[in-house]
């Protein structure tokens, strides 16, 4: 069967890898002209995440490219240190730059997967036996299934579920390339900034901040969550941030690789694969979602004082750090039998 995946970030190539292992033909379309470089560090936590990387055969490569966890130092506008968040708390079991992970997954799949860069899906017609797909530049094509792995502002989700909007969590953030220490943070009520990134509290909804206002080289978005009654419609479904996004929630990358393994395995098993995929991944994904805005950039001076005191206690409270691991491991991975 032929499967079209929209998005060549993390979830898309991971899914393409497993689909080819299960005997499918995978095509990945990506609107960017090439694999996206740059981005902040992402991490994997707990055995569920690590087990999938191990089964993919990439765990050693991820470990070889891992970053060195560093403390996040919070400073007031006067430059004095207010608090410190231990690197061991933020980095999980292994931390890697998002661009390095994306390149690794692309290289893993490039020989077996058709990648179409510089294009995007403009229309989908699902007739029950397949999906006819129209593209911005390429010729129309037909696929057995279409998977949206195209992020929080998913174009596939917009085509299939046009009335759905992610739930705004009251914060925005921006990331760009800049010289300086991005772990040395300046904070004031509702604002947190460092060289290369910014987070701030706002009541303005996302619809008032169109993407075209963002300059090239700057990633800008709202902190939002995607919580849908169902992420599937006919022969189309969503994966990663497109279906279960939680901007800067801390476990989106691990969720993406776990979801890719489950979705491909269920498709290979046949039958009502999307329903089984949602039943397994839906509760797990919701347990992994979070909003770091109030935690990192409280909107009041009292909230900042409480945050600072709490960060000081974290090294003495290892149980707090285990909450993320508990959520990340709250799934029993099925055993699937790849064709190769």
């Amino acid at each position: 069967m032929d499967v079209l995946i929209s998005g060549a970030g993390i979830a898309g190539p991971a899914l393409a890898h497993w689909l080819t292992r299960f005997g499918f033909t995978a095509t990945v379309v990506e609107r960017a002209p090439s694999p996206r470089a740059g981005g902040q560090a992402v991490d994997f936590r707990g055995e569920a995440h690590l087990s999938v990387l191990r089964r993919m055969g990439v765990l050693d490569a991820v470990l070889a490219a891992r970053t060195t966890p560093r403390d996040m130092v919070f400073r007031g506008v006067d430059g004095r240190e207010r608090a410190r968040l231990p690197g061991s708390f933020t980095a999980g079991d292994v931390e890697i730059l998002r661009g390095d992970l994306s390149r690794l997954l692309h290289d893993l799949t490039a020989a077996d997967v058709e990648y179409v860069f510089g294009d995007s899906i403009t229309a989908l017609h699902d007739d029950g036996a397949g999906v006819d797909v129209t593209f911005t530049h390429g010729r129309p094509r037909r696929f057995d299934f279409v998977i949206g792995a195209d992020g929080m502002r998913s174009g596939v989700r917009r085509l299939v579920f046009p009335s759905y909007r992610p739930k705004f969590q009251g914060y925005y953030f921006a990331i760009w390339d800049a010289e300086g220490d991005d772990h040395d943070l300046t904070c004031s009520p509702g604002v947190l900034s460092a060289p290369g990134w910014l987070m701030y509290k706002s009541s303005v909804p996302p619809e008032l901040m169109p993407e075209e206002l963002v300059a090239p080289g700057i990633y800008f978005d709202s902190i939002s969550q995607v919580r849908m009654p169902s992420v599937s419609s006919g022969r189309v479904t969503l994966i990663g941030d497109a279906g279960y996004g939680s901007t800067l929630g801390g476990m989106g990358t691990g969720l993406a690789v776990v979801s890719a393994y489950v979705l491909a395995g269920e498709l290979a098993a046949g039958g009502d694969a999307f329903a089984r995929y949602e039943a397994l991944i839906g509760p797990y994904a919701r347990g992994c979602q979070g909003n770091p805005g109030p935690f990192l950039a409280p909107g009041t001076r009292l909230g900042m004082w409480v945050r600072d005191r709490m960060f000081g206690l974290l090294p003495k409270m290892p149980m707090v750090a285990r909450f993320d691991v508990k959520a990340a491991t709250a799934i029993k991975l099925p055993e699937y039998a790849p064709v190769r």
Side-chain angles (χ1 to χ4, degrees), residues 38-125:
Q40 298 294 101
V42 296
D43 61 75
F44 297 99
R45 300 164 184 257
E47 185 54 28
H49 294 179
L50 300 181
S51 175
V52 174
L53 295 178
R54 192 177 297 115
R55 297 180 194 194
M56 293 175 73
V58 298
L59 180 56
D60 287 345
V62 170
L63 291 172
R66 70 193 304 174
T67 62
T68 301
R70 297 167 56 197
D71 293 353
M72 296 176 68
V73 180
F74 293 74
R75 301 185 184 278
V77 292
D78 58 2
R80 292 166 51 181
E81 182 174 331
R82 293 180 56 107
R84 184 177 291 260
L85 187 60
S88 58
F89 180 81
T90 61
D93 290 304
V94 56
E95 182 183 80
I96 181 174
L97 292 176
R98 187 187 184 283
D100 290 347
L101 178 63
S102 180
R103 175 185 49 77
L104 190 158
L105 294 177
H106 175 265
D107 292 348
L108 174 71
T109 56
D112 301 313
V113 174
E114 178 189 1
Y115 279 91
V116 180
F117 288 99
D119 209 346
S120 60
I121 298 172
T122 58
L124 299 169
H125 176 66

Side-chain angles (χ1 to χ4, degrees), residues 29-34 116-120 136-138:
V29 60
E30 166 60 53
R31 66 178 181 176
S34 61
V116 180
F117 288 99
D119 209 346
S120 60
T136 303
H137 302 295

Side-chain angles (χ1 to χ4, degrees), residues 324-337:
D324 281 352
V325 175
K326 183 178 180 181
T329 56
I331 186 171
K332 180 176 174 56
L333 292 175
E335 294 293 334
Y336 303 112

